[in-house]
Amino acid sequence: MLGFFKWIFALLGLRFNFYGAVLGFLLGYIIDYYVTKYFWKPDGKSSNPANNLNGFVRNLAILTTAVMKADGKVIKGELDYVKAFFRQQFGDDTTKQALLYLRDILKCYLPVQQACIQIQMRVDYATRIHILHYLFGLSFSKGNIHFKELSMIESIANYLNISYPDFLSVKSTFVKSPKPQDIHWAYKTLEIKPDASGEEVKKAYRHMAIKYHPDKVGHRDEKQQKAAEEHFKKINNAFEEIKRLRGMK
């Protein structure tokens, strides 16, 4: 029963006077308009796409949007990938509603952690691994994976309680790791092992940067000063190379 607010408010306003009835009718009309636009369709279904999606699909749409937004831009290739995946998994009707929901939340705050918790409560581990494959495929749909998208996917995997070895296994399908010898020089420069944690890498860089800063040898001859500058430059390059390959900030 739509359109009844304007008549209810008009009757309430009429208890005061004619002008009260007119103001009540206008107020009720505005309420009717927004209720019809955002909550109901003529066939009785909600016009808010989120209300027509089950919890799992809605939460998956939130994770999808979080990955798409991570690098600051959304491209057609990503939308095409999402459309194809949702259509295959959920059918045309749900896909249409999900895409409308994606459009509505692109500029909104996304409760990623809450969405992951709800998904974890609804599906088994194998399904969560499947979701991880999907998110990597989405990020890779434009040809390469931005480090911010990679960071977002890693956070999502953590929230979904996916083990780190399984995360790395799925990641290796899309992101090819360099051969150990290709990056060995960088770890050797920072005097750490290739399996050092991200925090250990940062700590080693800070230590080396202080230890070998050119200002430390400012009182020495020109040859020594130049050697110090070259070594300091190599330390910086090593740190930047490790960050790039690991997707570190």
Side-chain angles (χ1 to χ4, degrees), residues 132-133 136 163-175:
L132 192 60
H133 272 280
F136 267 112
S163 72
Y164 191 62
D166 284 340
F167 167 78
L168 292 179
S169 178
V170 177
K171 175 185 172 184
S172 66
T173 305
F174 299 90
V175 183

Side-chain angles (χ1 to χ4, degrees), residues 2 5 30-40 47:
L2 298 177
F5 282 107
I30 294 172
I31 294 175
D32 282 331
Y33 170 79
Y34 282 102
V35 168
T36 301
K37 180 177 181 180
Y38 293 105
F39 296 98
W40 297 97
S47 61

Side-chain angles (χ1 to χ4, degrees), residues 17-186:
N17 52 45
F18 173 76
Y19 294 107
V22 173
L23 290 175
F25 181 88
L26 292 174
L27 177 61
Y29 179 84
I30 294 172
I31 294 175
D32 282 331
Y33 170 79
Y34 282 102
V35 168
T36 301
K37 180 177 181 180
Y38 293 105
F39 296 98
W40 297 97
K41 289 181 178 180
D43 61 2
K45 293 183 179 180
S46 169
S47 61
N48 185 339
N51 294 337
N52 290 331
L53 296 173
N54 67 49
F56 174 75
V57 177
R58 183 167 58 250
N59 288 318
L60 182 58
I62 289 173
L63 302 190
T64 298
T65 307
V67 172
M68 291 171 63
K69 290 175 56 178
D71 64 350
K73 57 184 178 181
V74 177
I75 65 174
K76 185 178 182 298
E78 291 174 315
L79 292 172
D80 290 341
Y81 182 88
V82 172
K83 186 186 299 183
F85 176 84
F86 272 73
R87 181 174 289 126
Q88 181 182 22
Q89 298 293 323
F90 309 111
D92 290 337
D93 290 341
T94 298
T95 298
K96 181 178 179 181
Q97 294 297 329
L99 291 174
L100 289 173
Y101 183 48
L102 285 172
R103 181 198 65 188
D104 288 346
I105 63 176
L106 275 173
K107 295 183 179 180
C108 299
Y109 163 76
L110 298 172
V112 173
Q113 185 173 4
Q114 294 90 325
C116 289
I117 291 172
Q118 292 181 31
I119 287 176
Q120 185 180 341
M121 293 170 61
R122 290 172 179 265
V123 302
D124 59 17
Y125 191 77
T127 302
R128 281 177 270 150
I129 292 291
H130 182 59
I131 291 172
L132 192 60
H133 272 280
Y134 158 67
L135 294 176
F136 267 112
L138 167 62
S139 183
F140 200 70
S141 63
K142 57 182 179 293
N144 64 310
I145 298 180
H146 194 278
F147 75 91
K148 290 185 178 179
E149 293 176 338
L150 183 60
S151 178
M152 174 58 68
I153 295 173
E154 184 171 0
S155 295
I156 290 172
N158 184 49
Y159 293 145
L160 289 175
N161 201 25
I162 293 174
S163 72
Y164 191 62
D166 284 340
F167 167 78
L168 292 179
S169 178
V170 177
K171 175 185 172 184
S172 66
T173 305
F174 299 90
V175 183
K176 302 302 180 184
S177 298
K179 296 179 181 179
Q181 60 269 27
D182 293 339
I183 189 63
H184 181 72
W185 70 270

